[in-house]
Amino acid sequence: MSLDSRGEKARVFFALWPDAANAARLHAIAQQWHRSLGGRVTREDTLHATLVFIGDIALDRLQSLLDLAEGIQTPSFDIDFDARGCWKHNHIAYLGMRQLPEALQNLHFELAARVGEAGFSIEKRPFSPHITLIRKAACDNAARDISINKNPAEPVTWMVRDFVLVKSSIGANGSRYEQIGRWPLLEDKPTS
Ligand code: 2AM
């Protein structure tokens, strides 16, 4: 991809991306919910949790996002996606977390600060990490469905070892996501 194409724009965001095993677990949950909620299940290969949403930017500004991500020095962490929900205002059925890990909050804060300092305008809504499992969901059915509200399944525990920058475009089969950068988080050093 050319980073200096004049006038061209890209829709971008930083995200956490599950490994194949967790993506498969998340997808299985989505398919189970789909029976009562209907709507459109997120494709398995596009499941993610947005860290910092940037939106449309000129392509020639992508490089500064790649550069600022290089300097992130925050530790890796585990998260439990253990909260199920369905937002009525946008019909999104999602998995979130009951407790926001401090390390995740710090990673979001650090990235958002750098993105802001680099001159991008970023989303001002409070950080609400989630994985969208279904769009156009019939959320009213979620309240009646014990599999969503009263009978929480095992959490999907996710070892977060890196984060990615994603470029999204709309294609015939829905959103197409291309990972254009991936950065490791700091690993705990083994004690000797
Ligand atoms: P969603 O799944 O809740 O729609 C690509 O669109 C990713 O960016 C999705 O995870 C989407 O969240 C998120 N996203 C889209 N618009 C956003 C916005 N204005 N603020 C924060 N996140 C947004």
Side-chain angles (χ1 to χ4, degrees):
M1 178 182 49
S2 160
L3 295 188
D4 62 359
S5 327
R6 295 222 177 130
E8 278 192 57
K9 295 209 158 206
R11 188 168 207 252
V12 292
F13 57 96
F14 286 104
L16 304 178
W17 211 269
D19 59 28
N22 276 324
R25 291 180 68 193
L26 292 162
H27 192 60
I29 294 171
Q31 284 175 316
Q32 185 201 333
W33 292 8
H34 181 253
R35 287 186 217 126
S36 51
L37 302 187
R40 184 160 51 79
V41 171
T42 305
R43 286 206 327 265
E44 188 171 332
D45 62 335
T46 65
L47 287 159
H48 66 273
T50 295
L51 266 179
V52 175
F53 182 77
I54 299 147
D56 287 339
I57 61 160
L59 270 189
D60 60 6
R61 301 213 59 210
L62 268 183
Q63 189 60 50
S64 57
L65 290 176
L66 298 170
D67 292 344
L68 70 85
E70 280 300 328
I72 296 285
Q73 299 269 312
T74 58
S76 53
F77 55 91
D78 294 348
I79 32 179
D80 290 333
F81 283 94
D82 57 0
R84 301 163 167 223
C86 199
W87 284 313
K88 289 190 178 179
H89 69 281
N90 57 9
H91 309 286
I92 280 181
Y94 64 91
L95 262 187
M97 59 205 72
R98 287 166 212 243
Q99 283 210 304
L100 183 60
E102 200 181 333
L104 173 56
Q105 180 80 59
N106 290 343
L107 174 59
H108 163 77
F109 183 81
E110 179 80 16
L111 256 183
R114 284 167 180 259
V115 168
E117 280 161 17
F120 296 95
S121 61
I122 51 169
E123 177 61 32
K124 299 286 189 298
R125 285 186 302 196
F127 181 43
S128 172
H130 65 279
I131 302 170
T132 294
L133 296 187
I134 301 181
R135 295 186 190 278
K136 301 193 170 143
C139 291
D140 287 343
N141 293 350
R144 294 197 290 270
D145 183 346
I146 58 159
S147 74
I148 288 185
N149 282 319
K150 302 232 177 69
N151 198 11
E154 284 174 45
V156 177
T157 298
W158 186 347
M159 293 186 295
V160 179
R161 299 290 173 264
D162 55 21
F163 67 97
V164 294
L165 180 64
V166 183
K167 176 172 175 277
S168 88
S169 48
I170 307 290
N173 298 322
S175 293
R176 179 171 171 268
Y177 295 124
E178 184 189 352
Q179 290 179 26
I180 53 178
R182 177 180 284 269
W183 298 268
L185 298 174
L186 299 176
E187 289 294 338
D188 281 343
K189 291 215 171 57
T191 47
S192 50

